Amino acid sequence: MKRMILMTLAIAAGGLVQAGEGAMIEATTAAGEKVQLMPDGRWKFVDQAKQVEAKKIADTYPENHLRPEGAQGGWFGTRVLMPGDKDYNRGTLNPKMR
């Protein structure tokens, strides 16, 4: 019985992966709003007015502003380097590579 359940889940998961390869899936939320599900796990509203409103709300959260566009660094707790900083785009510090 367990084998049959595992095989059914494996087949279903395989079908979901094939359907999701580069394809956007249209879905409906519990509130009845149409959304598009993207292959990378994000989603957006189909209605552009709702999407603009949702983006304005999302921009108020600090976790959506971790690193400004055009900055370097900021990975794994390192500092963020903005254009104009003396260390911006300095290259490697390895003397063998200079």
Side-chain angles (χ1 to χ4, degrees), residues 5 11 15-16 41 43 51 57 71:
I5 293 172
I11 291 170
L16 289 175
W43 63 272
Q51 180 61 29
I57 294 170

Side-chain angles (χ1 to χ4, degrees), residues 1 3 5 15 20 25 28 31 38 42 56 64 67 75-76 79-80 87 90 93 97-98:
M1 186 65 174
R3 257 189 191 167
I5 293 172
I25 301 170
T28 306
M38 297 177 217
R42 295 179 297 132
K56 287 179 186 175
N64 292 334
R67 190 180 126 216
W75 303 105
F76 307 111
R79 71 183 179 125
V80 176
D87 292 330
R90 70 172 181 218
L93 294 178
M97 303 292 288
R98 289 194 167 222

